[in-house]
Amino acid sequence: MNTTHLKRSCILTLLLLTASCQTMPGNNQKQAGQSSVSSIRAGLHCGREQATPAATWIDKPQQLETSFKKIQGAILGAKPPEIPKVDFRNEIALLIEMGQHPTLGYSLALPETASLDIRKDQAYLTLRWTSPQPDVSLAQTTSSPCLLLRLKRGEYTSIRILDEEGNTQAISRMGQ
Amino acid sequence: MKYDSAVQSALRSVILTGSLLGILAGCGGGGGSGNDPASQPENNNTGNTPQTVTLSGTVIGGANVFVDSDVNDPDASYAANDMPGQAQAIPNPVMLGGYLNEAHTGPAGPLFATGDRSDFFRVSLAANQNVTVNIADFDTGDFDLYIYYDDGSIDLLNPDFISEGVGQTETLTIPQDGDYLIEVYAFSGYSNYALVIGQGAASLSTNRLVSTDDFVPGEVIVRFNDARLPLSVARTPATLAATIGLQFKAGDAGRAMLMEISPSSGPGIQGATANQMASQERRFRSPDPERQQKLDTLRTIKLLRKRNDIRYAEPNFIRQPLQIPTDSYYGLQWHYPLIKLPTAWDVTTGSPNVIVAVIDTGVLLNHPDLQGQFSSDGGFDFIRDDNIAQDNEPGIDINADDPGDSRIGSSSFHGTHVAGTIAATTSFGAGGSGVAGIAPGVKIMPLRVLGNGGGTGYDILQAVRYAAGLSNDSGIIPPQKADVINLSLGGPGGSQAEQDAYTQARGAGVIIVAAAGNSNVSDPFYPAAYNGIISVSALDMNKQRAPYSNFGTTIDVAAPGGDTSRDLNGDGYPDGVLSTVGDDSGGNIDYVFKFLQGTSMASPHMAGVLALMKSVHGNLTPDDVDTLLASGQIVEDLGAAGRDDQFGHGMIDARKAVDAATALAQGSNPDNPVVSVSPASLNFGNSATNTSLSIINGGTGVLSIASITTSASWLTVIPGNVDAITQLGDYQVSVDRSGLAAGIYTADITIVSTSNTVSIPVIQRVGGQGSNINAGYQYILLVDADSGDIVDQWEGSPQNGEYNFVFDNVSLANGKSYFIFAGTDQNNDGFICDAGETCGAYVSLVQPIAISDGGNNSGLDFISGFNTGLQNLSASGADNKKRAIRRKQTKKIP
């Protein structure tokens, strides 16, 4: 093989590699579509005692069951709901907890257009992070809102939870 | 004189170095009034003779202190008092230390072999005086108390003559003035004891059980100690019952069994009881059959408790019924018994004429556990902003139902939880379900002001006005206004406009209660901090302030708010407040029950109790409630005495609250000024001539003294430092014995005030039975303050009630210092100052002072007596046992 052919082959190989990198999901692309993120359950008294938020990566059925029961809390007088199904081959679950607050008026919600924004190996997810307005009267019961989500697996090993102002509220890492 | 702050450690050293003292105990020496020679001083290196001194002083028997004339100490003087004819004359008042034992029980000594079952005393007593025996070693001895007329007869129909309890205290109240015989009797075992007469109110042990208590005659609840049963005994109920001579009625082996005392029972305990009774039959068989049966029951229990194969034996108490709900989850509502609610339900469960307005998120009107609980007006929804309301009904409307405050299935249904605490339907008969409410008989007025994100001040005020029957934006005045408003809401900001609105609502007669806030701060929180509103802080299951609860100067009262981070009672559920809610997480609204925490949960407890109060006193006003809170009449005081910033005036007590409301309804003065005197009775003995009396207002409000009179010419009361208007303050009370014949004299001081009248009994004695002081055979110990060793010991009987001691050749060189202790050893166990024995120290037992170089060596006088009242001859004797000091054994035990 002469040198010129080698150079062309290398250049072609490089071009091909670059093109494939550009088209591989998870590399500075959005995992778009409603199916990439969906809400399983929301809760108001999810039991977190710390005031700081947290996000928990769930990729095992037993973890999911534990988290789901935690969201349900001790409710009496009703049949416990079924544990939701998550296909852990292709999906994970994510429990986001807002932290304990002294009153009602706090909530977490998944915006309708929510999606995972994946850059390198980190996913970004923006949630509606609601706190009460100042100068309103609030019910004096402590609350610990949370959201249990279903996410499609992808080329990410951590998820950064943002509020709608772009502030990082929590980070969850695979296996933690 | 140096005060040695290590006196306590010195005392402990004395106790703990018993083994070292055993060496000293071998030292001989005379008894009587002699003393043991002190150790010879050593020469110091310079060759000079170290300083030695003589220490001397007088131990004086405490006022009205006497000692049993036949105790187990071989060195004490002896005079038998075992029979009525040998009764020991004692004064009144008196605190007497004694010792009794069954034969072959207790420490070695002259009484060991023969026993000393009875001590008889002769004394003049006044009507209504208490005679009390406290058994010092209750774990080794069980004593009874009897009184007889002077001729030796006993009134067996009168419960005031026999005290045969199973506790550590026996007490009788004298029916009329006269001369009596008192017998302290050892039913079993051995112990020191204290006999107290005329020393004020006796402190009674809570472990007391007497025949006048309410229990089923002839029945005993028995639990065997299975590990102590012989293997040959079959573990069947009938067999076990037979081993103790009783008849099996119910229960089973391995747990408590109900048994009966029956003539047909076999041998064993019954036989022993019969023998026991036979020996006393002539004196102690009551003509009243039921009383006799109850006495037999107590005697059987006393005998059973002596057996080591019996874990416990108890009477079958007759309990009064309490209203206990049968609702399914009542057992998880720990917060109701905490505030004494079950006993309050015995009085009332609420009246349908009482309305409580719940100003909140609205209420789930279809919740099964709230059916039939709503006021006839149906409530109102005052939320103007549709984004807050989320009810698809623009603006304010008549629908107070709670649609939920979340769009994503995590609604709180907060108002439903609050309403359930106040008035969830509650069943006291069969077939209850759900949860219980505090005042299930009252009605809830649901007023919606909170929605998605909270609520506005304006909407809340409109709801308050509606509840108070004032004009409001709904255009509706309810046919019946609310009696109580609950506001489990708020924020940090307040305004005059809001204060005015609440003042107006209160002026309309509505009692308003609000949550204190959940930020764990002392800053004012509104509306709870407004004048005229009862602010409620939150408690956990241990009656501690909940970790989130606000506190501070605006807190009025505390109530259960829960702590869901814990499960202190181990029931498997978080320690929150359990009540009605909804659950919309599945898309529909399910009617369920949940544990929540917050001052939101505390406030409706107060509101519910207020509703109960209104149910028994329809005219109860907000001012009445404030007065009752401030005077402590409806709370259990927590934290610092009186009002404090953690708990306000205390934790609401539902039973006290309904009782106070009932009393008000019957005309008592809510302001409750009360004359309080100290001391409550006066005993001058045979020598005191005057003392001070304090008269104060022990309640709230205002009172003044109208008159103070005495019922005897020998008794006078003169004002000392008193207020010119109220006449409250300090008075001097004097007795004049001149011209009075020997004997006991009683009279009363009557204090009439503008509120109540108080009578103070007064006793004095003229002459008497010789000196009223005989502190027994005293051991006076000289104790090295550093080592705790007994350096020297003086012992002897009193001379005119005094013990003059001398310690020679005491070295004070090299900073040596010494304590001096004194006491009796009635049970002869080698320790002075046991429970029931006299005790003293220089300068006093409360503050012993070590004698050292440079101080006084003579005139080291102090008192040996029963230093504190009956209550310090404690339940277990433990407190006094810690004070016990080993003495030297100077003679061999006969």
Side-chain angles (χ1 to χ4, degrees):
Chain A
M1 183 182 299
N2 60 28
T3 305
T4 301
H5 180 73
L6 180 61
K7 282 183 181 176
R8 285 178 184 163
S9 297
C10 289
I11 293 169
L12 181 59
T13 302
L14 284 170
L15 285 172
L16 285 170
L17 284 170
T18 305
S20 66
C21 286
Q22 285 177 341
T23 59
M24 273 177 65
N27 187 359
N28 206 25
Q29 285 193 345
K30 287 202 176 178
Q31 195 162 304
Q34 290 180 345
S35 60
S36 66
V37 184
S38 60
S39 177
I40 299 176
R41 199 83 165 185
L44 184 59
H45 303 287
C46 299
R48 183 165 173 80
E49 293 171 15
Q50 296 87 339
T52 53
T56 306
W57 185 294
I58 299 168
D59 57 11
K60 296 182 180 59
Q62 193 162 3
Q63 275 183 296
L64 177 64
E65 182 176 348
T66 301
S67 294
F68 190 77
K69 286 181 176 174
K70 185 180 172 187
I71 294 172
Q72 281 302 105
I75 294 183
L76 302 175
K79 189 179 167 187
E82 286 186 13
I83 310 294
K85 299 280 189 292
V86 173
D87 178 8
F88 287 111
R89 293 171 302 175
N90 302 309
E91 298 170 327
I92 63 167
L94 186 69
L95 175 65
I96 304 105
E97 298 174 273
M98 231 181 150
Q100 188 177 92
H101 296 279
T103 66
L104 300 183
Y106 297 84
S107 67
L108 273 178
L110 183 70
E112 286 185 7
T113 57
S115 61
L116 281 178
D117 181 9
I118 301 169
R119 303 169 208 169
K120 294 189 182 177
D121 62 348
Q122 178 150 282
Y124 295 79
L125 178 62
T126 298
L127 299 179
R128 185 163 301 130
W129 208 271
T130 304
S131 296
Q133 296 295 315
D135 299 330
V136 296
S137 286
L138 298 166
Q140 296 302 301
T141 298
T142 64
S143 61
S144 50
C146 70
L147 203 54
L148 182 65
L149 303 176
R150 178 190 285 106
L151 282 68
K152 268 198 172 171
R153 282 189 185 270
E155 293 296 322
Y156 58 88
T157 57
S158 67
I159 305 171
R160 186 176 288 254
I161 305 299
L162 309 175
D163 61 26
E164 289 174 318
E165 283 75 45
N167 303 308
T168 298
Q169 294 292 344
I171 299 175
S172 174
R173 293 186 171 81
M174 180 189 291
Q176 291 184 352
Chain B
M1 204 86 57
K2 288 190 288 185
Y3 170 67
D4 190 334
S5 62
V7 59
Q8 293 300 324
S9 61
L11 275 172
R12 287 192 291 273
S13 296
V14 168
I15 297 166
L16 294 172
T17 54
S19 56
L20 295 175
L21 295 177
I23 298 172
L24 293 173
C27 296
S33 60
N35 58 49
D36 289 312
S39 57
Q40 291 299 315
E42 297 175 357
N43 286 324
N44 61 20
N45 292 334
T46 64
N48 295 329
T49 302
Q51 178 187 10
T52 63
V53 298
T54 295
L55 301 179
S56 64
T58 300
V59 170
I60 305 161
N64 303 319
V65 166
F66 248 64
V67 173
D68 176 12
S69 63
D70 62 357
V71 295
N72 201 36
D73 183 349
D75 294 318
S77 60
Y78 178 86
N81 58 9
D82 306 330
M83 305 290 288
Q86 299 171 322
Q88 179 182 354
I90 59 175
N92 176 11
V94 73
M95 188 174 286
L96 179 144
Y99 175 78
L100 289 172
N101 68 304
E102 280 187 289
H104 301 286
T105 66
L111 300 180
F112 175 81
T114 57
D116 178 16
R117 297 294 295 274
S118 287
D119 285 339
F120 279 87
F121 305 98
R122 186 179 300 278
V123 62
S124 296
L125 298 168
N128 300 316
Q129 275 197 288
N130 289 327
V131 176
T132 303
V133 168
N134 187 286
I135 305 157
D137 297 303
F138 182 60
D139 50 350
T140 62
D142 181 2
F143 295 173
D144 299 322
L145 175 66
Y146 308 90
I147 59 170
Y148 307 80
Y149 292 117
D150 197 36
D151 63 0
S153 62
I154 186 169
D155 184 353
L156 294 174
L157 280 174
N158 190 335
D160 289 334
F161 279 72
I162 297 177
S163 181
E164 291 182 348
V166 294
Q168 65 201 90
T169 301
E170 307 281 354
T171 193
L172 294 169
T173 302
I174 302 306
Q176 61 195 49
D177 293 358
D179 294 332
Y180 291 87
L181 296 175
I182 296 173
E183 180 188 7
V184 185
Y185 174 72
F187 182 88
S188 67
Y190 64 94
S191 176
N192 287 328
Y193 67 87
L195 173 69
V196 182
I197 301 173
Q199 300 285 348
S203 171
L204 300 178
S205 164
T206 55
N207 193 24
R208 193 166 168 266
L209 173 64
V210 293
S211 63
T212 48
D213 288 347
D214 209 2
F215 57 87
V216 179
E219 288 189 358
V220 183
I221 298 173
V222 179
R223 174 76 163 92
F224 281 85
N225 186 346
D226 298 334
R228 297 289 195 130
L229 287 169
L231 293 173
S232 58
V233 174
R235 266 61 164 169
T236 63
T239 305
L240 290 171
T243 64
I244 56 174
L246 300 179
Q247 191 161 332
F248 169 74
K249 279 192 80 172
D252 204 353
R255 58 184 172 92
M257 289 187 276
L258 181 64
M259 300 194 182
E260 189 173 44
I261 302 169
S262 162
S264 61
S265 300
I269 196 69
Q270 177 67 9
T273 302
N275 291 339
Q276 187 93 11
M277 288 161 46
S279 69
Q280 302 165 4
E281 184 171 354
R282 189 169 63 85
R283 291 183 295 163
F284 304 116
R285 182 160 295 280
S286 173
D288 178 349
E290 180 172 330
R291 176 129 202 276
Q292 183 59 42
Q293 197 176 16
K294 293 182 82 173
L295 286 172
D296 288 346
T297 305
L298 288 179
R299 288 166 187 161
T300 300
I301 290 172
K302 287 151 83 74
L303 288 170
L304 287 171
R305 288 182 175 183
K306 290 171 63 177
R307 297 169 63 109
N308 61 11
D309 59 351
I310 298 293
R311 186 180 298 182
Y312 57 76
E314 304 285 353
N316 190 11
F317 286 109
I318 296 171
R319 303 295 189 192
Q320 297 306 317
L322 291 177
Q323 293 267 48
I324 302 295
T326 58
D327 299 66
S328 313
Y329 303 121
Y330 171 71
L332 301 176
Q333 295 181 291
W334 54 269
H335 36 98
Y336 290 157
L338 199 73
I339 63 169
K340 312 285 190 344
L341 192 54
T343 59
W345 283 327
D346 285 344
V347 179
T348 180
T349 56
S351 163
N353 297 323
V354 174
I355 294 177
V356 179
V358 174
I359 300 182
D360 214 288
T361 62
V363 178
L364 284 169
L365 301 179
N366 293 319
H367 196 296
D369 219 4
L370 293 171
Q371 294 307 294
Q373 303 302 91
F374 300 108
S375 56
S376 60
D377 62 288
F380 203 84
D381 177 357
F382 282 97
I383 301 178
R384 294 184 163 275
D385 187 328
D386 295 338
N387 288 322
I388 296 175
Q390 294 192 135
D391 58 359
N392 298 319
E393 293 165 320
I396 64 176
D397 56 76
I398 61 171
N399 185 6
D401 193 45
D402 188 349
D405 50 11
S406 164
R407 295 189 171 98
I408 57 169
S410 60
S411 295
S412 68
F413 300 107
H414 180 265
T416 302
H417 197 279
V418 168
T421 297
I422 295 170
T425 59
T426 306
S427 175
F428 295 98
S433 65
V435 295
I438 294 172
V442 307
K443 299 299 182 188
I444 295 290
M445 177 189 285
L447 297 173
R448 189 161 183 250
V449 300
L450 300 177
N452 180 30
T456 69
Y458 184 84
D459 292 348
I460 294 168
L461 288 186
Q462 295 309 306
V464 169
R465 293 185 65 84
Y466 178 100
L470 303 171
S471 61
N472 61 87
D473 286 356
S474 73
I476 300 170
I477 306 293
Q480 181 181 342
K481 68 173 167 56
D483 298 281
V484 180
I485 290 175
N486 183 84
L487 294 154
S488 287
L489 50 82
S495 74
Q496 189 58 50
E498 289 185 354
Q499 174 67 79
D500 291 346
Y502 287 113
T503 300
Q504 197 175 2
R506 180 185 161 110
V510 184
I511 305 166
I512 308 170
V513 59
N518 290 351
S519 300
N520 187 26
V521 295
S522 61
D523 301 336
F525 183 83
Y526 299 91
Y530 286 125
N531 290 331
I533 294 184
I534 299 170
S535 172
V536 188
S537 64
L539 301 171
D540 67 11
M541 190 181 287
N542 280 342
K543 300 181 189 177
Q544 301 296 311
R545 180 173 66 86
Y548 51 80
S549 176
N550 281 1
F551 53 97
T553 57
T554 61
I555 304 300
D556 296 303
V557 70
D563 182 357
T564 54
S565 70
R566 308 171 87 174
D567 178 18
L568 291 174
N569 59 359
D571 63 358
Y573 294 97
D575 295 343
V577 171
L578 180 62
S579 184
T580 48
V581 284
D583 177 22
D584 61 355
S585 58
N588 297 316
I589 298 177
D590 293 328
Y591 302 115
V592 295
F593 311 91
K594 262 190 184 179
F595 297 88
L596 298 182
Q597 67 174 12
T599 52
S600 273
M601 282 64 251
S603 183
H605 280 80
M606 185 63 188
V609 171
L610 289 168
L612 292 178
M613 294 172 73
K614 278 291 261 188
S615 298
V616 297
H617 181 20
N619 295 325
L620 186 76
T621 68
D623 286 342
D624 290 340
V625 176
D626 288 350
T627 300
L628 290 172
L629 277 173
S631 63
Q633 293 182 67
I634 63 173
V635 296
E636 176 185 335
D637 194 7
L638 300 179
R643 198 216 159 267
D644 57 70
D645 285 354
Q646 303 290 314
F647 312 103
H649 297 287
M651 181 184 73
I652 185 64
D653 183 316
R655 180 55 194 253
K656 289 172 74 173
V658 296
D659 284 347
T662 301
L664 274 183
Q666 292 167 353
S668 72
N669 183 355
D671 218 0
N672 204 33
V674 176
V675 167
S676 179
V677 297
S678 177
S681 65
L682 297 170
N683 193 328
F684 288 85
N686 72 338
S687 59
T689 55
N690 56 70
T691 189
S692 180
L693 175 69
S694 173
I695 304 176
I696 64 171
N697 178 1
T700 59
V702 176
L703 67 81
S704 58
I705 303 301
S707 66
I708 300 178
T709 57
T710 66
S711 61
S713 59
W714 50 262
L715 179 64
T716 56
V717 181
I718 300 171
N721 183 14
V722 300
D723 181 87
I725 297 175
T726 65
Q727 295 295 293
L728 296 171
D730 295 326
Y731 288 76
Q732 178 162 291
V733 181
S734 303
V735 297
D736 181 2
R737 295 184 177 83
S738 54
L740 294 178
I744 298 280
Y745 291 82
T746 60
D748 295 293
I749 301 171
T750 301
I751 302 169
V752 179
S753 78
T754 51
S755 176
N756 62 310
T757 298
V758 172
S759 179
I760 303 171
V762 179
I763 297 174
Q764 62 131 336
R765 183 159 54 85
V766 177
Q769 298 117 341
S771 168
N772 65 338
I773 299 173
N774 176 7
Y777 193 84
Q778 288 284 321
Y779 296 90
I780 303 174
L781 313 181
L782 184 68
V783 177
D784 187 307
D786 294 317
S787 67
D789 295 339
I790 299 177
V791 174
D792 202 352
Q793 177 171 302
W794 185 101
E795 56 187 84
S797 298
Q799 302 294 323
N800 295 319
E802 297 181 349
Y803 307 79
N804 298 307
F805 66 89
V806 176
F807 298 119
D808 291 319
N809 300 315
V810 179
S811 171
L812 295 178
N814 301 321
K816 291 289 257 184
S817 60
Y818 305 89
F819 293 110
I820 303 178
F821 298 102
T824 55
D825 182 12
Q826 286 138 225
N827 58 4
N828 201 43
D829 64 352
F831 288 85
I832 64 171
C833 298
D834 273 334
E837 296 174 345
T838 67
C839 194
Y842 179 79
V843 165
S844 72
L845 203 60
V846 174
Q847 193 173 35
I849 290 179
I851 298 118
S852 59
D853 187 24
N856 292 334
N857 300 328
S858 62
L860 304 175
D861 303 338
F862 61 95
I863 291 174
S864 178
F866 300 104
N867 285 283
T868 50
L870 178 65
Q871 57 270 29
N872 285 66
L873 295 171
S874 65
S876 63
D879 288 345
N880 289 9
K881 281 185 177 173
K882 291 178 188 171
R883 210 168 60 206
I885 307 169
R886 183 178 284 278
R887 63 175 177 85
K888 290 183 177 182
Q889 297 283 359
T890 56
K891 289 183 178 176
K892 290 186 178 178
I893 306 301

